[in-house]
Amino acid sequence: MNEAKYSDNFNESWDIYNAQLKKIGVKKRRDALTKGEFHLVVGVFIFDDNNCVLLQKRTLSKLNNPGKWQESAGGSVLINENIYQAADREVSEELGMELEMIPANFFFKEVHENWITFWFAAVAEFDITKLNIQVTEVDKIKKFEIAKALDLLKNRGIDNTWESLQLITEKLV
């Protein structure tokens, strides 16, 4: 694979876990995971006071799901980081917004083939025109009413992200 053509950092290190979330090692992003090895991922949906949600569209230079819509911010948990620190960092890096994720912001986890996603949601006041997006990873951001966000994610989003938004909004109401 020609790593140079992607905006992803293939040198970043991840703690690797088993299915019971016990740390079993460390690998770099470029390293293949074997069956039973998982890296952790966070996804954050940010809502405003008008019950709209902020979504981002990934750049075309991303290795996975280029050009697709996704949650407000998200990404891999780095070595020696917990899920809360990772969620805070991803929001800060991708949106230029400072939020502090706490256990009350955590909604659920999803286990996939070799990663486990921890889903968060927060309500925050923000001016979308003043957010400083990470242009290497984020093509654009936009606020949507929940129904429109669900439709967009179903049709042009990362697989099943719409289901995570739907579960979170059902719990928020």
Side-chain angles (χ1 to χ4, degrees):
M1 165 181 29
N2 180 6
E3 293 178 5
K5 75 180 208 175
Y6 299 106
S7 59
D8 303 82
N9 177 2
F10 291 91
N11 283 318
E12 72 183 19
S13 294
W14 299 336
D15 290 324
I16 303 301
Y17 296 84
N18 64 18
Q20 294 74 39
L21 294 176
K22 180 181 178 205
K23 184 177 169 184
I24 57 173
V26 172
K27 288 193 175 183
K28 294 210 179 285
R29 177 185 288 264
R30 70 171 48 88
D31 300 333
L33 299 180
T34 61
K35 186 174 177 148
E37 293 182 329
F38 299 88
H39 74 97
L40 306 184
V41 174
V42 295
V44 181
F45 285 106
I46 302 170
F47 298 86
D48 68 9
D49 290 331
N50 296 318
N51 213 21
C52 290
V53 63
L54 180 68
L55 298 180
Q56 69 164 271
K57 184 179 179 195
R58 296 165 67 88
T59 62
L60 294 175
S61 62
K62 293 295 290 172
L63 173 64
N64 298 310
N65 302 296
K68 291 199 174 187
W69 286 90
Q70 67 173 58
E71 64 274 8
S72 309
S76 296
V77 178
L78 302 179
I79 188 172
N80 297 323
E81 209 175 33
N82 66 43
I83 58 173
Y84 301 99
Q85 293 165 329
D88 293 348
R89 176 183 49 76
E90 290 292 349
V91 169
S92 177
E93 285 177 358
E94 294 179 358
L95 303 174
M97 179 189 293
E98 298 304 317
L99 286 179
E100 182 180 1
M101 293 296 134
I102 58 173
N105 298 113
F106 172 70
F107 276 77
F108 62 94
K109 70 178 180 183
E110 286 181 300
V111 179
H112 301 273
E113 182 180 347
N114 59 2
W115 75 94
I116 301 171
T117 303
F118 291 81
W119 288 101
F120 293 86
V123 177
E125 289 185 34
F126 59 92
D127 179 347
I128 196 167
T129 64
K130 294 188 176 166
L131 296 180
N132 185 22
I133 66 170
Q134 183 181 27
V135 296
T136 56
E137 295 197 18
V138 181
D139 180 48
K140 67 172 82 169
I141 56 174
K142 189 172 179 183
K143 283 197 297 186
F144 296 90
E145 294 173 357
I146 302 302
K148 289 182 180 179
L150 288 167
D151 186 57
L152 176 70
L153 291 172
K154 279 181 188 177
N155 294 302
R156 297 189 339 209
I158 295 176
D159 295 343
N160 302 324
T161 302
W162 71 271
E163 291 173 330
S164 299
L165 176 60
Q166 186 170 32
L167 285 170
I168 288 171
T169 54
E170 287 171 1
K171 291 180 180 185
L172 284 175
V173 174

